[in-house]
Amino acid sequence: MIELENYKLKELPNSVYYIPNFITSEEEDELLKKVYSSPKPKWKALSNRRLQNWGGLPHPKGMIQENLPQWLTDCIKKVQNLKIFQSCEPNHVLVNEYLAGQGIMPHEDGPLFYPTIATINLGSHTVLDYYEKLSDSSDINSSMENKYVGSLLLERCSLLIVQDDLYSKYLHGICERMADTIDKKIKNIHLCKVQNGSEVIRSTRISLTIRHVPFTRKAKFLFGIR
């Protein structure tokens, strides 16, 4: 039984938990096989990464609910045992693939989701950076540096849980680089295998972000059919 409070990080705003070795290397291998054996139409290519949506496509008018495959259902059950979603049942998984050097601009997940996310990391580490929200977007590059609050090292097979203030009041992003220097900016270094001062080379990373979408609809209502 995992005692979640043992993995709560107090160095960042409330609330974030980091659990190393949440899954085994064998489970990681099996999940990667399932991701890469998914039908090609499941992949959506973006400018800086590609992704898969499972469970439906989140939409302000409601997500058309789709059944999750068994390999993701098993994964969700392991996360759900932590009781982080309260009485809600996770119903959506976003699969992101990041090649070495790829990242994502600081952003928020927004109100379409219950304010808890759980991310399982596969294949490679990454460094996730957190920022206060901008009050003025006129000069985002210089402003983001001033809003920086800290970073997390996400190692292979780990689980990251974000909720409460850190979910709703802050932005998160991944810088585009080939390697990461581990220093005092990493707020969960005490839970990681990597030593302070190390340089860690990135490779291809798969993230499984597990969420609950509260607002779902049947297809006929979404498209105005009565």
Side-chain angles (χ1 to χ4, degrees):
M1 175 71 72
I2 293 176
E3 293 292 339
L4 196 57
E5 285 302 308
N6 294 337
Y7 300 96
K8 186 170 186 177
L9 303 175
K10 298 179 180 179
E11 296 82 1
L12 285 173
N14 207 34
S15 296
V16 56
Y17 305 83
Y18 176 78
I19 305 175
N21 301 312
F22 180 72
I23 61 171
T24 65
S25 57
E26 291 77 17
E27 289 172 321
E28 178 193 39
D29 288 342
E30 188 61 27
L31 286 169
L32 286 170
K33 287 178 184 177
K34 294 296 186 181
V35 168
Y36 284 111
S37 63
S38 298
K40 288 185 179 180
K42 286 297 296 183
W43 287 105
K44 179 180 179 181
L46 304 180
S47 59
N48 59 343
R49 69 192 190 284
R50 61 176 184 160
L51 56 81
Q52 300 175 11
N53 273 287
W54 292 94
L57 188 63
H59 192 278
K61 293 184 179 180
M63 182 178 77
I64 302 176
Q65 188 73 53
E66 299 173 359
N67 292 330
L68 292 164
Q70 188 62 47
W71 60 277
L72 283 176
T73 300
D74 293 341
C75 199
I76 285 173
K77 285 181 180 177
K78 189 167 186 177
V79 172
Q80 186 71 340
N81 287 338
L82 299 174
K83 310 297 183 184
I84 59 174
F85 288 94
Q86 305 300 323
S87 60
C88 298
E89 185 74 27
N91 58 3
H92 182 264
V93 180
L94 179 65
V95 177
N96 276 301
E97 179 195 59
Y98 294 91
L99 304 181
Q102 291 183 331
I104 186 170
M105 290 287 290
H107 66 284
E108 59 182 324
D109 287 341
L112 290 182
F113 307 101
Y114 180 82
T116 291
I117 61 169
T119 302
I120 296 175
N121 299 278
L122 311 172
S124 175
H125 83 283
T126 198
V127 169
L128 189 63
D129 304 314
Y130 281 92
Y131 306 85
E132 296 176 357
K133 290 184 180 180
L134 295 172
S135 56
D136 181 2
S137 60
S138 59
D139 188 359
I140 187 169
N141 292 325
S142 61
S143 297
M144 293 315 300
E145 184 177 346
N146 295 332
K147 297 291 187 179
Y148 174 77
V149 296
S151 300
L152 297 173
L153 173 62
L154 309 185
E155 296 179 298
R156 293 174 58 177
C157 299
S158 67
L159 176 72
L160 174 70
I161 300 165
V162 179
Q163 50 190 188
D164 301 329
D165 283 356
L166 195 60
Y167 177 92
S168 59
K169 297 181 180 179
Y170 292 82
L171 307 177
H172 57 282
I174 298 172
C175 289
E176 296 182 342
R177 52 179 175 245
M178 299 296 293
D180 297 288
T181 300
I182 308 306
D183 55 24
K184 63 182 181 180
K185 294 180 180 180
I186 304 297
K187 304 303 182 182
N188 63 328
I189 185 65
H190 61 290
L191 293 172
C192 298
K193 297 176 182 178
V194 180
Q195 298 295 315
N196 195 10
S198 302
E199 183 180 66
V200 190
I201 307 300
R202 292 185 189 178
S203 57
T204 299
R205 171 181 174 257
I206 293 288
S207 63
L208 308 180
T209 300
I210 299 167
R211 302 183 281 202
H212 173 74
V213 180
F215 189 21
T216 60
R217 287 190 177 187
K218 295 181 179 179
K220 64 179 181 180
F221 292 119
L222 183 62
F223 293 106
I225 302 172
R226 301 296 181 184

